[in-house]
Amino acid sequence: MSSRVSIDFEVDGVRRSEEIAPNTVLLDLLRDRHALTGVKASCERGVCGACTILVDGTPAASCGVFAFSVDGAAVETIDGQGREGGLGPVQRAFAECGGFQCGYCTPGMVMLTTALLRAHPEPDDERIRSWISSNVCRCTGYQMIVDSVRRAAELSREEQP
Amino acid sequence: MTNQPAAVGTSARRHDAAAKVTGGALYTADVRLPGMLHAKVLRSPHAHARLRSVDATRARALAGVHAVLTRDELAGLSPTYGYFIKDQPVVAMDKVRYVGDVVAAVAAEDEATALRALELIDVVYEPLPDVPDVTAALAEDAPELFEEAPPGIVPPYGTGASGHLRPRRNVCYEFRYATGPADVWQECDHVFEDTFAFSRMNHFHLEPFVTVADVRGEQIEIWSSTQNPFPLRKELARVLRVGENRIRVHVPYVGGGFGAKHNCKTEPIAILLSRMAGRPVRYCLTTEEGFLTLSQHAAVLKVKTGVKADGTFVARESEVLLDAGAYSDGSPLVAEKAAYRMPGPYRWTHVKSSCACVMTTTTPAGPFRGFGATQSTWAGESQVDMIARRLGMDPYELRIKNLKRLGEPFVPGESGIDSDLAEGLDTVAGELGYHRRARTPNRGMGLAIGFKDGGGVNKPAQARVKVTANGAVYVNSGTVEIGQGASTTLCQVAAEVLGVPLEQVAYAPINTDVTPFDQGTNASSGMTVMGRAVLRAAEAVRAQVLEFAARQLGCEATALTLENWAVRRGDEAPTPLPGLIMKVFGGTGYEFSGEGFFKAPNSPEAPLDAPCVFWEIGWAGAEVEVDPDTGKVTVLQLVASGDVGKAINKLVCRGQDEGAAVMGLGQALFEEMRYDGSALLNGEALDYRVPMAEDLPERFVSVTQEQGHGPGPFGAKGAGEGAMVPVAAAIANAVHDATGVRVTALPLSPERVFNALHRR
């Protein structure tokens, strides 16, 4: 693995150009090089979704994405979800509704919710359940996450000008 | 006491909310130290084998490798660990006893190098016959997993209870309990004997087992994802033969545990490698390795129950066999509870229970949410329904007839039941619509009551509450924030006592050098044990502050009240405390500090050495539809309820009950570690199915009861396990109601239900 490849991509709105080994996994690049430890590593098999990020707006398990493949893409992580001086609407909703316990799945759930609300600003419970079924939460039993997503939809709509 | 809005009984936002929703929360898995190395281990491919030789010469020579640990590096240590029985080696010594047993460990510049080094370790195994399950392990000619007895202890027990080390081949421990005259069997009109099988789950905590160790000279410092830092410290000190004050354990946020993260897991290897390499070492397991580290106990449960013709319960005898896996871990403690909880919430004249931990060549089993009660309730509550149907009674009526009353002792020498059991059952039955259910083919409803003693056995907890001159409060306790919300609720207790807003109270990080002692974050003990220690510490601080203010103001402390960090005498204007304090202690400030302690008093009459702190009851009701062509069970409704006595934080309580209930749903329907002989077939996230949001029943309701009888602060009880315990039995009872067929083994997979339907 002596060869290196160059990638040019955006992370949370900041453009980055860097040299990486071709077998670098995006999860490791974000956590180890960029210290974005809010992107959680868990199953590393693309199942649990703790490492969910958005690539050009689409949710992806960053443990299953080669870093070279995001060349030219915009990557969004939990780190970019805040707002000036505090929490973003999705984050506020999860905090308010208690849609987290140990917190390990929470960044992934927040990213999933962000993508869901962009695609469907007023999702019904069935759609919410269907979307968040791509990530595992072992603590909450999900209903309080469903409540959080519903509340996030309200807060996100309020935020629109 | 105060004009503040009460800090207790609210749905206050959790203290850890901002850190967790921003991804800023630090877990052990996120800890990075300068110069840190990475560890990986070599695991046995054999279920049972003698180790002929372990040669790491080639691995040591690989560039980037800094330390290799094999059995040759264990000199000067007490190299085995465990709870009651010290049988698990840091790395394999004479034998390996399951696929995945750790043989050697490497610390290298990165994980990839460590993995390459493992391939260069030459091991010669001499395979031995395996013992994949309890039947094989108990066979007369079964190979012994331990030819010699590992060191072990039996803790003190009270009336009726006893523990036995190695009572027979491949059994590491047996617990027995009996009370009441055995001759009552003659008075029974019916005696029913049934056998149940319980499958094992993986904890599947999302944060893996992980430790970062930094050994510098004599000082050992670790960051670890653990539920019990103090007992861990003690065990590490014993293994390493150093003083406990040489080991400092930090516990950042823990990404789930569910019982798995107790005592030695990744810690000994991380420490030994760091000591050898002279550099910090991070040892983080993969999810696949988690499946090879600890599991719940599979069990076979034989239950014999004698009743009168009118349904009055008379006697229950039970024999439980737990599959303990290859090492004892917490199995003896789980055995205590699986046997002791077998009577359930009912009144009996005679009880006799035993539970044996059977060693097999599979993943070691240990503590898991429910801790033996999930197993005993599965059998006990399934059988109650079977008996009701045999007697032609409604299972609800049979339960109501035999439930213990509020305050009635569980068994002689025990504390009284601190919930109205019938009230709880009525709550769930009402929410489910049990009494007005229509008779629809293939649809049915079932109820069950989960029952366990809560608060741990003989469990001490200490806490410290400090207040600065400006009224900023610290709660210092060893209760780990593992997701359950204790870092918020314990602060709510202190805020209530001190009359300050909750935002002014911080939960201090855990560092065993300075944090007061605690036995561990388990047994749903956070509020009823540690909560009482925190309450007392806060009361001690309040007394100090009031006495101090009284001296300054020239009055009696009893004449003063504390609110918003000011003292008030009668109707006078409040006197702010900061000025008063700095006038005496100087402008640099001062801290008031109070200590609190709680432990249930010991009692020789109590079977488990001290009476139970509180009784954790979970009520569940389910409505199911069974597809007769496929055996698929669809849960239409799931109602789960715990009695928290008094909810310190309503959101937190709801979250505990719902999370527990859904874990029970997974146990009931599909979650299972599947073995082919001693080989685990589904030990990874892709093949091992945990509940997802799409698995939620169409109607899922949790009810937080606040019956007000709890022993904790403000009448609180504990939560976290109760609502998991009855779910599997409630669903099996609903399947029975729907189809007339009883399934006695878990999970209730389509295949198993189909086969049961077509045997009738």
Side-chain angles (χ1 to χ4, degrees):
Chain A
M1 291 301 164
S2 55
S3 65
R4 310 286 284 180
V5 295
S6 302
I7 58 169
D8 188 324
F9 71 127
E10 243 181 46
V11 181
D12 295 321
V14 176
R15 184 137 173 225
R16 298 185 179 277
S17 299
E18 50 196 319
E19 300 275 305
I20 54 164
N23 64 349
T24 303
V25 172
L26 184 56
L27 170 66
D28 297 332
L29 179 72
L30 295 172
R31 281 180 62 85
D32 297 344
R33 192 183 288 187
H34 299 309
L36 294 172
T37 51
V39 186
K40 308 319 285 182
S42 184
C43 81
E44 301 197 51
R45 287 288 183 275
V47 176
C48 76
C51 62
T52 300
I53 50 148
L54 308 186
V55 179
D56 289 332
T58 302
S62 59
C63 70
V65 175
F66 277 120
F68 68 74
S69 72
V70 299
D71 184 35
V75 169
E76 295 170 80
T77 78
I78 186 67
D79 218 42
Q81 292 301 301
R83 294 290 184 275
E84 193 70 35
L87 305 178
V90 177
Q91 294 172 322
R92 270 196 289 146
F94 274 75
E96 191 183 296
C97 300
F100 67 92
Q101 285 183 27
C102 86
Y104 217 73
C105 78
T106 313
M109 288 289 184
V110 167
M111 297 314 293
L112 208 50
T113 304
T114 299
L116 163 63
L117 296 181
R118 284 183 196 159
H120 305 281
E122 297 184 40
D124 59 16
D125 279 11
E126 195 186 335
R127 193 182 296 278
I128 294 172
R129 279 192 190 192
S130 155
W131 270 66
I132 64 170
S133 287
S134 58
N135 286 14
V136 171
C137 169
R138 191 57 155 165
C139 298
T140 63
Y142 298 106
Q143 192 56 50
M144 292 170 81
I145 293 180
V146 173
D147 293 352
S148 301
V149 177
R150 219 186 292 120
R151 178 73 181 136
E154 289 171 14
L155 292 175
S156 298
R157 288 199 297 273
E158 283 170 19
E159 197 188 47
Q160 303 304 319
Chain B
M1 182 170 70
T2 161
N3 294 332
Q4 281 294 321
V8 153
T10 63
S11 293
R13 187 167 124 171
R14 289 171 55 138
H15 272 5
D16 49 355
K20 287 179 175 174
V21 301
T22 58
L26 187 84
Y27 299 80
T28 301
D30 303 321
V31 170
R32 296 283 184 278
L33 298 180
M36 188 173 82
L37 303 172
H38 298 265
K40 282 285 151 195
V41 298
L42 183 68
R43 294 179 180 275
S44 167
H46 298 285
H48 192 196
R50 210 167 295 286
L51 275 185
R52 282 292 169 222
S53 65
V54 181
D55 181 355
T57 312
R58 292 191 300 140
R60 288 193 174 89
L62 183 70
V65 170
H66 290 257
V68 181
L69 174 69
T70 69
R71 62 184 182 179
D72 299 331
E73 281 76 38
L74 300 176
L77 304 177
S78 303
T80 58
Y81 54 80
Y83 289 58
F84 289 180
I85 303 166
K86 311 299 182 189
D87 60 357
Q88 186 158 8
V90 172
V91 293
M93 297 190 298
D94 57 332
K95 296 209 295 190
V96 288
R97 295 182 177 85
Y98 71 105
V99 175
D101 209 351
V102 175
V103 176
V106 170
E109 293 288 339
D110 50 43
E111 288 191 346
T113 306
L115 288 170
R116 274 199 298 281
L118 296 179
E119 292 170 13
L120 302 175
I121 299 176
D122 300 302
V123 185
V124 179
Y125 299 95
E126 177 194 323
L128 299 167
D130 64 348
V131 281
D133 54 38
V134 296
T135 309
L138 295 176
E140 243 173 61
D141 57 347
E144 286 262 23
L145 275 190
F146 291 87
E147 286 91 349
E148 285 171 38
I153 57 116
V154 175
Y157 292 117
T159 307
S162 62
H164 310 268
L165 289 166
R166 284 169 75 90
R168 52 194 187 275
R169 179 180 292 261
N170 286 327
V171 174
C172 70
Y173 195 82
E174 186 168 46
F175 175 83
R176 297 174 200 151
Y177 177 71
T179 187
D183 56 11
V184 291
W185 288 106
Q186 302 156 19
E187 299 166 22
C188 298
D189 296 310
H190 306 278
V191 175
F192 301 106
E193 287 190 66
D194 298 288
T195 300
F196 301 88
F198 185 91
S199 51
R200 67 162 90 171
M201 308 209 302
N202 176 253
H203 301 75
F204 211 86
H205 40 76
L206 287 185
E207 185 194 24
F209 291 104
V210 54
T211 300
V212 175
D214 189 9
V215 182
R216 290 172 189 257
E218 298 287 292
Q219 182 65 48
I220 297 164
E221 188 158 20
I222 65 170
W223 289 256
S224 208
S225 189
T226 181
Q227 295 180 232
N228 68 342
F230 290 92
L232 170 66
R233 180 185 69 178
K234 179 165 177 279
E235 184 71 338
L236 289 171
R238 191 189 59 78
V239 168
L240 299 166
R241 296 186 188 166
V242 300
E244 285 164 79
N245 58 0
R246 295 294 178 209
I247 302 173
R248 181 180 305 137
V249 183
H250 301 272
V251 189
Y253 283 122
V254 171
F258 313 107
K261 293 174 175 172
H262 282 97
N263 288 12
C264 294
K265 294 291 174 289
T266 39
E267 295 84 0
I269 283 175
I271 291 170
L272 290 171
L273 288 173
S274 174
R275 182 191 265 175
M276 292 164 75
R279 301 251 301 254
V281 170
R282 177 180 193 261
Y283 177 31
C284 181
L285 300 193
T286 62
T287 295
E288 290 80 352
E289 290 180 292
F291 278 92
L292 300 176
T293 301
L294 202 72
S295 78
Q296 194 187 32
H297 288 88
V300 178
L301 307 103
K302 278 189 206 172
V303 192
K304 178 178 153 190
T305 298
V307 302
K308 300 269 199 191
D310 68 352
T312 303
F313 290 172
V314 179
R316 175 175 272 180
E317 289 190 4
S318 58
E319 287 175 22
V320 180
L321 300 175
L322 294 180
D323 185 338
Y327 296 104
S328 62
D329 197 83
S331 291
L333 293 84
V334 176
E336 276 179 8
K337 297 310 179 85
Y340 192 58
R341 293 163 176 169
M342 211 62 208
Y346 306 107
R347 192 176 302 119
W348 305 96
T349 308
H350 168 68
V351 167
K352 188 178 169 195
S353 313
S354 72
C355 181
C357 308
V358 184
M359 310 305 287
T360 65
T361 47
T362 63
T363 293
F368 192 111
R369 189 179 217 165
F371 209 88
T374 327
Q375 288 86 343
S376 62
T377 296
W378 161 243
E381 284 296 278
S382 291
Q383 202 200 27
V384 167
D385 265 50
M386 293 160 78
I387 292 171
R389 288 170 200 285
R390 288 163 182 158
L391 298 178
M393 291 180 72
D394 186 281
Y396 166 88
E397 299 297 339
L398 184 62
R399 285 190 171 82
I400 291 289
K401 186 180 184 65
N402 289 289
L403 283 174
K404 282 198 143 76
R405 290 184 312 275
L406 178 65
E408 193 175 339
F410 168 58
V411 292
E414 261 294 6
S415 56
I417 304 296
D418 50 5
S419 285
D420 184 324
L421 297 161
E423 183 184 326
L425 191 62
D426 284 337
T427 300
V428 166
E431 189 62 48
L432 188 68
Y434 182 84
H435 296 301
R436 49 184 166 73
R437 66 190 192 280
R439 277 283 143 212
T440 311
N442 302 313
R443 275 200 187 194
M445 289 191 183
L447 302 168
I449 305 176
F451 184 86
K452 68 187 286 287
D453 50 302
V457 171
N458 219 352
K459 186 171 202 277
Q462 291 172 269
R464 181 180 306 123
V465 173
K466 302 195 303 176
V467 196
T468 71
N470 288 318
V473 180
Y474 294 89
V475 173
N476 277 266
S477 103
T479 296
V480 176
E481 180 51 71
I482 192 169
Q484 83 283 44
S487 67
T488 304
T489 54
L490 293 173
C491 288
Q492 286 179 267
V493 169
E496 184 76 27
V497 172
L498 295 170
V500 298
L502 179 57
E503 301 70 50
Q504 229 162 289
V505 186
Y507 196 72
I510 294 172
N511 166 345
T512 51
D513 280 10
V514 292
T515 303
F517 178 83
D518 174 47
Q519 200 203 57
T521 302
N522 48 41
S524 304
S525 63
M527 190 47 66
T528 54
V529 180
M530 184 56 83
R532 283 151 105 173
V534 169
L535 180 78
R536 289 173 183 183
E539 287 171 346
V541 168
R542 184 179 63 192
Q544 284 177 34
V545 171
L546 291 176
E547 277 157 27
F548 162 81
R551 275 197 304 279
Q552 303 309 310
L553 299 173
C555 65
E556 293 292 318
T558 49
L560 296 174
T561 55
L562 195 56
E563 61 182 61
N564 253 336
W565 205 232
V567 286
R568 181 196 287 275
R569 184 165 30 173
D571 294 334
E572 292 174 18
T575 306
L577 279 162
L580 212 56
I581 293 166
M582 286 189 267
K583 207 168 114 189
V584 174
F585 294 102
T588 46
Y590 177 73
E591 283 183 359
F592 293 93
S593 179
E595 304 282 325
F597 168 72
F598 176 76
K599 190 184 94 59
N602 298 61
S603 155
E605 282 78 44
L608 299 183
D609 203 27
C612 159
V613 176
F614 81 101
W615 297 96
E616 190 170 8
I617 319 294
W619 295 263
E623 181 179 18
V624 302
E625 179 159 23
V626 180
D627 182 338
D629 296 330
T630 64
K632 184 179 191 307
V633 176
T634 303
V635 179
L636 304 171
Q637 284 196 78
L638 178 64
V639 181
S641 182
D643 170 24
V644 297
K646 159 80 181 172
I648 303 298
N649 185 311
K650 294 176 194 298
L651 272 184
V652 164
C653 291
R654 180 183 160 202
Q656 286 299 290
D657 277 349
E658 292 188 358
V662 169
M663 215 173 225
L665 182 75
Q667 178 114 54
L669 296 181
F670 47 76
E671 250 193 75
E672 179 186 26
M673 284 170 65
R674 294 177 56 229
Y675 279 89
D676 178 12
S678 298
L680 178 60
L681 297 175
N682 60 342
E684 56 140 313
L686 269 173
D687 294 337
Y688 183 85
R689 178 97 153 73
V690 297
M692 311 291 281
E694 66 197 6
D695 297 311
L696 287 186
E698 200 173 293
R699 182 162 184 267
F700 173 38
V701 178
S702 69
V703 183
T704 304
Q705 297 177 54
E706 296 186 74
Q707 292 192 8
H709 312 300
F714 313 104
K717 297 178 64 169
E721 298 178 271
M724 172 177 180
V725 171
V727 172
I731 292 175
N733 291 344
V735 169
H736 196 165
D737 190 50
T739 63
V741 166
R742 170 59 52 173
V743 184
T744 55
L746 286 173
L748 303 170
S749 61
E751 179 187 13
R752 189 168 276 132
V753 173
F754 179 89
N755 286 336
L757 288 174
H758 295 273
R759 262 203 310 270
R760 71 179 148 173

